[in-house]
Each structure stands twice: as C-alpha cells, then as structure tokens.
Amino acid sequence: MSTPASEPQPAGTPASSPSTGAGHRRSRADRATNLAPNAVTAASPRGLALRLFVYVVAGHLLAAFLFLLFELGGGK
C-alpha cells in the first residue's frame, strides 16, 4: 500500500517540518496531542450514567404522554 500524499508546502518550506508562521493551520492530529489528559476522556462514567438516566426518564414521560393521548382519544 502506498502512503497518502502530504499537503502541498509553501515554497521554501521543508516538507518534513510544519511551518510555524501565523497563518499555519494545524491538523486535527496535532491539536489532539496538545490537549489536557482529562480532555480526551470527555464521556466519563458518571456523565454517561447521568445522561442515560435523563434519557430513560424522558422516554418514559414521552410514553406516558402518548398513552394518555390514546386513552383520551379512544373513548367508548
């Protein structure tokens, strides 16, 4: 397999080193390596449990509302 082609470099800039000028845009991989250690693990177990709880409660409230609509609308 061949490696992907690198991005074109401005004239006078060596291809092996990124430019450090003010207009240089860093790649997503470069930005990810400079994050704080805790910023990488955004979905903590506590946050995940809280989100799951909120979704379960919201789902039950929606189901109860739909059930109420069917009960009121089905009248015999």
Side-chain angles (χ1 to χ4, degrees):
M1 293 182 81
S2 63
T3 58
S6 62
E7 294 180 4
Q9 298 290 329
T13 304
S16 62
S17 66
S19 67
T20 56
H24 177 67
R25 295 182 61 185
R26 294 170 36 196
S27 70
R28 192 175 297 171
D30 289 340
R31 288 190 302 260
T33 58
N34 292 331
L35 294 176
N38 292 336
V40 176
T41 57
S44 66
R46 183 176 177 184
L48 183 64
L50 178 64
R51 190 180 321 154
L52 179 64
F53 177 74
V54 169
Y55 288 160
V56 168
V57 169
H60 280 84
L61 288 175
L62 178 64
F65 178 69
L66 290 174
F67 181 76
L68 178 66
L69 287 180
F70 277 104
E71 284 295 316
L72 293 176
K76 269 191 169 179

